[in-house]
Amino acid sequence: MYLQWEGKRVYRQKVPTPRLLEPVEKYSFGTDRPNMLVEGDNLQVLASLKPRYAGQIDVIYIDPPYNLGKDDFRYSDKRFHDPDADDSDAVYVTNEDGGRHTKWLNFMAPRLYMLWQLLHDERGVIFVSINDVELFRVGMLLNEIFGEDNWIGTIVWKGTTDNNPTRIAVEHEYILCYAKSKDRLLPRWTNPDSEAKAMMLEAFARIKKESSSVADIKKKFAKFAVDNRRALGDLYRYRRVDEHGPYAARRNMDNPGKPGHKYDVFHPVTKKACAKPFWGWRFTEATFKDLQKQDRIIFGKDETKIPELKVYLEDVEFPLRSVIELDARMGSNNLDRLFERRDVFKNPKPVELMEKILGYSTRKDSIVLDAFAESGTTGEAVMELNAKDKGDRKFILIEEGEGEDKFCRSVTAKRLRLAIQKHGYGTGSFQFLKTGQKLDRQAIVTLERDALASLICQADETGRGKGITWLSGYKYVIGRNHRSEAICLLWNGVDNSEVTPEHLKKASKEVSEAGLKRPFRIYGTFCRVGDTASWKFCQIPDEIIAQMHIEEEIKSEAACPA
């Protein structure tokens, strides 16, 4: 089955021209600034990020418009025909619009295709939030772009309770998950930091230290479990303890799906053979006896009950389950704790939801992209995860706002700053950027020095997947890459920016004084000195045009004036 709509044939060609991403100091925060918050149309921003991040993003989360027919989806016909156009004609799509689903697909398809290009080939995954209105269409669209075989699963998030009289009370949303290549993805995801698990193990360690006997440990831990039952959730079943730690009894002694091992197990009190699982034991007799010696077998009062296996909490890894129950009001609670008001943003996703998803799907050094950043929940979740497991994840958030409402500045940037200040996140500083002019040869050579320096940091090939850290206060040095190699610029306009031996000498001295490494890269319009092991010349604008994949119109000789 294939999805068909008017516009399907051309969506992969709807690629905007890369644009200059201009730093805005007023809304940036921190010093090192490894993270990015970009204001602008997400398709235009993605095209501008693609030269640096194609095949480099580990996890993408998006919460696109649900096409509710109210005030959530603004569509611009101008941008559909020309992705470089402004959205001055954009209007909210209503349920009375007969082409509302086609418009939504024409909006989503080029963005999803661009996101697919940005994902890492081996570990890249995307999560897409949606509700019932566009669930089936977005699923088929993802099947087309990512491939049906790369579907990982669909999460049902139950976030509300609806007791109003109706046919079916809808209390959930969906989160679809696809991989760039499922065959190359890790076969199992684990959450490196289960908060409830850590809470229980820490409580056990504390109680054991202050207790004089196993009986005392059991009594105190039972009280802890009851007092914290809501916070422990499903892990409440691990409320029993022995001298080794919290455990649960599992009834998984039978061999699943096929005949297992046949032997008698005798009850330690009645000395009679215990009841056997229908399919037989899953363990060999030798393994079972070894488990008995380790006190890992739990017997019933008599032989009529099948023995159970003692499973310690510290040995258990919990999968990301397909049903998540998490109160949607927690999203507003997150904002209330920062802004001291709940009405800052409509229907924000809870940090806890994003933290759960990213906790399973990211590594400690992952790059996380959210192309519909809204209030910035994903950014805060990344910072919270880093704080918990001492990770170094980076986030890239993109948000345009709605018409004149530039909430990327008033809400998203402010939320990130307040979260960093309140919680002391050490990995949260970020660079705020806005989309500037379209880039071509003429546009590049007419830029002022600061704008050109920003563009070089955006485009330089040594920043691929890692980024370039912008540096100020120097005459030549404008940035450093992840290897701490210097990026330099000589710019006095297109007619006066030849890099001479004297410039190289001064730039080299400045690189040393800044504590940066070589080879350094120096940008200018011309250089008569050959590259060495200490430096490399990069010509303006050709190097930038090549790295940004900017297509130029080639005029034929016949069209040129005599």
Side-chain angles (χ1 to χ4, degrees):
M1 184 181 295
Y2 297 97
L3 185 65
Q4 298 290 341
W5 77 96
E6 186 178 352
K8 177 179 178 178
R9 292 185 178 183
V10 297
Y11 76 83
R12 297 188 183 217
Q13 303 165 24
K14 299 293 184 181
V15 181
T17 304
R19 292 174 176 256
L20 172 65
L21 301 181
E22 303 177 40
V24 182
E25 185 63 27
K26 179 180 179 180
Y27 300 107
S28 302
F29 188 78
T31 52
D32 214 22
R33 300 177 182 175
N35 306 295
M36 287 195 294
L37 171 58
V38 189
E39 181 184 61
D41 172 69
N42 50 19
L43 188 59
Q44 295 175 0
V45 174
L46 290 171
S48 305
L49 293 174
K50 182 181 171 183
R52 185 195 296 182
Y53 289 103
Q56 301 297 318
I57 304 297
D58 298 305
V59 178
I60 293 173
Y61 170 78
I62 59 171
D63 185 14
Y66 286 7
N67 204 9
L68 301 176
K70 299 176 183 177
D71 59 352
D72 74 313
F73 174 39
R74 294 174 75 248
Y75 176 78
S76 168
D77 201 52
K78 283 172 63 177
R79 275 192 179 163
F80 166 68
H81 292 290
D82 177 10
D84 287 316
D86 61 43
D87 66 344
S88 56
D89 68 327
V91 295
Y92 287 110
V93 177
T94 68
N95 287 331
E96 285 70 42
D97 188 333
R100 65 187 184 277
H101 299 302
T102 297
K103 290 177 178 178
W104 190 84
L105 288 168
N106 282 331
F107 173 81
M108 289 298 299
R111 287 161 173 79
L112 287 172
Y113 181 59
M114 188 79 73
L115 292 171
W116 176 83
Q117 292 176 309
L118 294 180
L119 280 174
H120 194 281
D121 290 339
E122 294 181 3
R123 54 181 183 268
V125 292
I126 186 171
F127 294 90
V128 181
S129 280
I130 204 69
N131 76 348
D132 301 88
V133 175
E134 297 292 354
L135 171 66
F136 299 107
R137 276 170 284 273
V138 78
M140 294 181 72
L141 183 58
L142 287 164
N143 281 348
E144 174 173 315
I145 294 172
F146 285 79
E148 188 174 353
D149 291 342
N150 289 315
W151 173 69
I152 296 176
T154 299
I155 296 170
V156 176
W157 169 39
K158 183 185 181 304
T160 62
T161 299
D162 186 354
N163 293 316
N164 294 314
T166 185
R167 297 184 185 91
I168 298 176
V170 178
E171 301 177 332
H172 64 279
E173 296 180 13
Y174 305 94
I175 305 174
L176 282 67
C177 181
Y178 282 74
K180 182 77 171 282
S181 175
K182 191 166 76 171
D183 290 341
R184 303 171 73 179
L185 201 64
L186 287 175
R188 183 176 64 174
W189 282 345
T190 58
N191 190 338
D193 185 21
S194 169
E195 191 171 345
K197 177 180 176 180
M199 179 182 177
M200 294 184 78
L201 294 177
E202 288 170 5
F204 172 76
R206 185 186 69 253
I207 290 170
K208 182 178 181 180
K209 188 174 182 181
E210 64 188 28
S211 300
S212 57
S213 65
V214 174
D216 194 27
I217 294 173
K218 290 181 178 180
K219 181 179 178 181
K220 291 178 179 178
F221 195 83
K223 183 178 185 306
F224 158 81
V226 171
D227 291 345
N228 295 275
R229 181 166 186 167
R230 184 172 182 179
L232 297 179
D234 290 342
L235 297 194
Y236 180 71
R237 66 184 184 275
Y238 287 87
R239 62 190 178 275
R240 290 191 277 183
V241 293
D242 59 18
E243 65 272 19
H244 300 297
Y247 67 86
R250 284 192 182 174
R251 302 174 181 176
N252 58 347
M253 301 295 280
D254 59 320
N255 204 51
K258 59 182 179 180
H261 302 281
K262 301 288 186 179
Y263 53 85
D264 287 329
V265 172
F266 295 94
H267 193 275
V269 176
T270 67
K271 309 301 181 183
K272 296 180 180 180
C274 292
K276 299 182 181 68
F278 179 79
W279 286 102
W281 302 104
R282 69 182 304 168
F283 304 113
T284 64
E285 187 171 8
T287 299
F288 195 99
K289 288 181 179 179
D290 189 47
L291 289 170
Q292 276 187 281
K293 291 179 182 177
Q294 299 174 39
D295 192 28
R296 296 287 301 276
I297 302 299
I298 301 173
F299 290 91
K301 290 182 179 180
D302 57 34
E303 71 281 357
T304 59
K305 183 179 180 181
I306 299 173
E308 297 174 328
L309 179 67
K310 182 187 290 187
V311 178
Y312 287 104
L313 177 61
E314 64 179 356
D315 298 330
V316 176
E317 294 179 341
F318 303 101
L320 176 57
R321 302 194 182 279
S322 62
V323 178
I324 297 175
E325 293 193 34
L326 194 69
D327 194 334
R329 293 172 295 184
M330 294 174 72
S332 295
N333 294 341
N334 297 146
L335 294 179
D336 187 35
R337 284 193 287 269
L338 298 175
F339 290 87
E340 298 183 349
R341 43 186 286 233
R342 297 176 58 83
D343 59 348
V344 176
F345 194 84
K346 187 178 180 180
N347 300 323
K349 291 292 188 290
V351 171
E352 293 80 1
L353 176 65
M354 294 309 308
E355 189 183 336
K356 178 182 284 289
I357 292 171
L358 297 176
Y360 280 97
S361 57
T362 62
R363 308 186 312 176
K364 289 187 177 183
D365 62 348
S366 287
I367 303 175
V368 179
L369 170 66
D370 186 342
F372 295 83
E374 298 184 328
S375 69
T377 297
T378 300
E380 186 174 345
V382 168
M383 294 188 288
E384 180 65 21
L385 273 175
N386 284 342
K388 286 184 175 180
D389 66 7
K390 298 180 174 59
D392 190 31
R393 301 170 185 83
K394 310 290 191 302
F395 63 77
I396 301 172
L397 308 183
I398 306 170
E399 180 54 58
E400 185 175 25
E402 298 178 355
E404 298 300 317
D405 183 7
K406 301 297 183 183
F407 61 78
C408 187
R409 305 179 182 208
S410 60
V411 177
T412 318
K414 186 175 181 180
R415 187 241 186 98
L416 296 175
R417 174 175 59 81
L418 290 173
I420 294 167
Q421 292 173 326
K422 182 178 179 65
H423 302 298
Y425 294 132
T427 61
S429 59
F430 62 93
Q431 182 80 56
F432 187 102
L433 304 111
K434 66 177 182 178
T435 47
Q437 64 191 93
K438 291 190 297 182
L439 295 172
D440 56 27
R441 184 174 293 271
Q442 183 61 28
I444 292 170
V445 299
T446 56
L447 291 173
E448 296 293 331
R449 185 182 187 280
D450 285 351
L452 183 57
S454 177
L455 176 58
I456 291 169
C457 290
Q458 176 185 339
D460 189 85
E461 65 179 357
T462 66
R464 184 170 175 79
K466 301 290 185 179
I468 302 292
T469 301
W470 189 80
L471 300 174
S472 61
Y474 299 97
K475 183 176 181 179
Y476 296 98
V477 175
I478 60 171
R480 60 174 170 82
N481 60 27
H482 67 285
R483 297 187 294 268
S484 291
E485 296 166 346
I487 312 297
C488 300
L489 169 64
L490 171 68
W491 190 246
N492 298 305
V494 67
D495 297 322
N496 193 28
S497 296
E498 178 181 345
V499 177
T500 66
E502 184 64 21
H503 289 133
L504 289 169
K505 182 178 179 181
K506 291 179 179 179
S508 180
K509 181 180 179 183
E510 194 173 80
V511 168
S512 296
E513 291 173 348
L516 299 175
K517 296 179 180 179
R518 292 173 172 77
F520 65 87
R521 297 162 65 82
I522 184 164
Y523 283 76
T525 55
F526 193 71
C527 184
R528 301 175 192 274
V529 184
D531 295 347
T532 70
S534 296
W535 61 273
K536 181 184 186 304
F537 172 70
C538 301
Q539 188 175 41
I540 299 172
D542 298 76
E543 180 78 13
I544 298 171
I545 288 172
Q547 294 303 325
M548 293 295 290
H549 303 160
I550 298 171
E551 296 183 4
E552 297 188 277
E553 293 183 6
I554 306 299
K555 297 181 179 180
S556 65
E557 291 185 10
C560 296

